[in-house]
């Protein structure tokens, strides 16, 4: 075994069906008197229902994807005007992203109630977008003080969002397995996260109300979030960040790019590929991942989610000019080829 450094983050997790009933107890534990509730417009009614009877000073229900700076500033202003002492983010990575944006400048505690599988609630990573790019960073201030995982809140997550969001979580695990600063503990979580998610997602696609599968998927997404909380991400995430800056939807982009990024790293990350293959019960990890996505009915081509062919070269250039550490050297020509394959949805 190689030497390694392992950092554990202070995380409080309340997990299980019906656990959202403990939100009041979590607010009490932090001494919260005036919480700001965050949600997307579509989830406003259910978020309000969850928070009924709790000390809510106001609701910001205009959350959108990728935390645009102007809207994040508005949310910060609302928090200040309300004299809020905590943010409760009920929703997916976008909603949690707004909580983090507020925490970043104010230090305000965040309680996250995730309703997708993005894993953002477990990380110190924040992201704010402006024009065609997204600035990201890590700051312990943005890590939620408590996370409530209640699979009952995910029962109505539509099949397509469940599948794409689940693949986003699997992508965290895959990159953690070959991260330059990975370690055996994170690898255990990563392999188990891939196993739990890849077994649960096909069941969810058939029956969204399957509480047992929903519970397993949320468990997997928790592990996935843990894996990227302290290890670095590599080429796959770099490409998705670049493509996110072009306005592509986050989770679907992860899903489409993942088998191709794995294929790029395949020979340079042999042990990681073996662990992925074992977790998804496939012979070949990149091809098995591609086939899992096909079974989930996910879009398979970047062309189908809004990328313009003319943008391929620009994306490859940005990703290879300032690469994240990656098992295989990141070079323009093979990265462009990777993107072309993802654009056309070719089988690895
Ligand atoms: P999302 O939060 O944008 O949610 C997608 C849609 O699903 C939204 O319309 C939302 O209202 C809806 N939704 C959420 N929960 C639902 C439910 N239970 N039932 C029905 N509809 C529901 O999507 P996402 O993929 O969770 O998050 C994407 C964002 O998260 C991106 O901005 C990404 O950069 C960020 N992210 C950040 C990290 C991090 O560590 N900082 C990690 C992963 C993702």
């Amino acid at each position: 075994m190689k030497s390694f450094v392992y950092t554990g983050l202070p995380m409080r997790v309340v997990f299980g069906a019906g656990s959202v009933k403990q939100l009041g107890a979590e607010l009490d534990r932090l001494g919260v008197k005036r919480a700001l509730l965050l949600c997307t417009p579509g989830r406003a009614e259910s978020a309000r229902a969850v928070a009924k009877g709790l000390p809510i000073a106001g609701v910001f229900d205009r959350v959108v994807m990728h935390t645009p700076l102007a809207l994040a500033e508005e949310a910060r202003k609302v928090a200040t005007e309300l004299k809020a002492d905590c943010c409760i983010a009920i929703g997916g990575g976008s909603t949690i992203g707004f909580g983090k944006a507020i925490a970043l400048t104010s230090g305000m505690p965040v309680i996250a109630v995730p309703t997708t599988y993005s894993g953002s609630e477990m990380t110190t990573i924040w992201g704010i977008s402006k024009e065609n790019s997204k600035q990201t960073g890590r700051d312990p201030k943005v890590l939620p003080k408590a996370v409530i995982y209640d699979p009952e809140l995910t029962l109505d997550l539509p099949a397509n969002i469940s599948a794409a969001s689940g693949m986003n979580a699997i992508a965290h695990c895959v990159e953690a397995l070959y991260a330059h600063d990975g370690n055996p503990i994170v690898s255990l979580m990563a392999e188990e996260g891939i196993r739990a998610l890849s077994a649960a997602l096909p069941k969810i696609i058939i029956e969204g109300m399957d509480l047992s599968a929903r519970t397993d998927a949320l468990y997997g997404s928790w592990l996935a979030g843990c894996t990227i909380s302290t290890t670095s991400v590599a080429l796959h995430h770099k490409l998705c960040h670049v493509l996110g800056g072009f306005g592509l939807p986050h989770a679907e982009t992860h899903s489409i790019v993942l088998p191709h990024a794995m294929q790029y790293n395949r020979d340079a990350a042999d042990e990681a590929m073996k662990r992925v293959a074992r977790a998804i019960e496939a012979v070949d990890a990149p091809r098995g991942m591609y086939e899992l996505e096909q079974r989930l009915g996910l879009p398979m081509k970047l062309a189908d989610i809004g990328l313009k062919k003319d943008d391929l070269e620009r994306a490859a250039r940005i990703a290879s000019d300032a690469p994240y550490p990656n098992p295989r050297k990141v070079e323009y020509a093979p990265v462009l080829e990777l993107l072309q394959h993802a654009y056309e949805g070719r089988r690895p």
Side-chain angles (χ1 to χ4, degrees):
M1 186 183 292
K2 288 187 196 150
S3 356
F4 62 87
V5 173
Y6 171 74
T7 310
L9 291 180
M11 286 163 179
R12 180 173 169 86
V13 169
V14 181
F15 190 100
S19 57
V20 78
K21 293 194 191 83
Q22 293 176 53
L23 179 54
E26 292 303 312
L27 292 172
D28 287 347
R29 201 178 60 82
L30 293 173
V32 173
K33 300 277 181 278
R34 298 181 59 78
L36 171 63
L37 183 62
L38 304 171
C39 55
T40 56
R43 304 299 297 163
E45 205 179 312
S46 63
R48 279 191 168 90
V50 163
K52 203 166 169 220
L54 300 178
I56 305 296
V59 182
F60 183 85
D61 59 6
R62 288 186 291 135
V63 163
V64 297
M65 196 177 284
H66 293 313
T67 339
L69 178 62
L71 203 52
E73 293 287 14
E74 281 191 47
R76 287 167 174 161
K77 195 162 159 245
V78 171
T80 309
E81 285 171 358
L82 287 171
K83 297 192 173 56
D85 55 2
C86 175
C87 290
I88 305 173
I90 303 182
S94 299
T95 308
I96 294 162
F98 269 71
K100 288 176 164 184
I102 294 171
L104 186 66
T105 49
S106 65
M108 197 179 292
V110 177
I111 294 186
V113 184
T115 62
T116 71
Y117 307 130
S118 80
S120 175
E121 66 283 353
M122 278 296 128
T123 80
T124 58
I125 305 167
W126 56 267
I128 293 181
S129 60
K130 199 178 163 193
E131 286 144 20
N132 271 351
S133 68
K134 190 163 181 179
Q135 193 194 353
T136 59
R138 290 189 189 242
D139 193 317
K141 274 206 294 285
V142 309
L143 186 71
K145 294 283 179 279
V147 179
I148 299 180
Y149 286 107
D150 188 339
E152 286 180 1
L153 298 182
T154 65
L155 289 173
D156 56 353
L157 188 64
N160 59 336
I161 304 181
S162 301
S165 175
M167 291 312 302
N168 181 193
I170 287 180
H172 301 334
C173 298
V174 169
E175 294 238 287
L177 282 170
Y178 55 60
H180 73 99
D181 52 2
N183 61 68
I185 303 297
V186 162
S187 291
L188 283 176
M189 291 193 271
E191 188 175 338
E192 172 69 355
I194 298 171
R195 191 203 57 72
L197 280 157
S198 63
L201 293 175
K203 294 182 193 158
I204 288 169
I205 298 311
I206 294 166
E207 176 49 68
M209 299 297 281
D210 181 338
L211 185 60
S212 162
R214 288 292 190 183
T215 305
D216 289 351
L218 207 54
Y219 162 66
S221 75
W222 167 35
L223 294 175
C226 291
T227 68
I228 52 160
S229 65
T230 54
T231 56
S232 303
V233 289
L235 175 64
H236 167 79
H237 279 75
K238 176 72 188 189
L239 288 170
C240 295
H241 292 159
V242 171
L243 295 170
F246 292 6
L248 262 56
H250 179 83
E252 288 80 359
T253 306
H254 269 273
S255 169
I256 294 171
V257 172
L258 182 62
H260 304 284
M262 288 171 66
Q263 179 72 9
Y264 186 99
N265 282 324
R266 189 169 176 235
D267 296 335
D270 188 46
E271 180 56 29
M273 294 303 155
K274 280 192 190 129
R275 293 185 81 150
V276 176
R278 187 164 65 200
I280 63 173
E281 297 179 14
V283 177
D284 177 78
R287 182 166 296 176
M289 200 60 78
Y290 182 93
E291 287 169 358
L292 171 64
E293 292 173 357
Q294 280 185 316
R295 273 199 289 145
L296 297 176
L298 282 160
M300 303 303 291
K301 302 177 186 178
L302 289 176
D304 288 347
I305 60 164
L307 187 67
K308 295 190 195 78
K309 198 164 190 185
D310 288 349
D311 281 334
L312 287 173
E313 289 183 9
R314 194 156 62 95
R317 181 62 63 202
I318 301 172
S320 52
D321 276 356
Y324 297 165
N326 189 64
R328 175 177 162 194
K329 192 169 182 209
V330 176
E331 292 173 295
Y332 175 76
V335 168
L336 178 59
E337 189 183 43
L338 179 173
L339 283 173
Q340 274 160 344
H341 289 175
Y343 183 81
E344 294 162 15
R346 276 203 222 166
R347 178 185 300 272

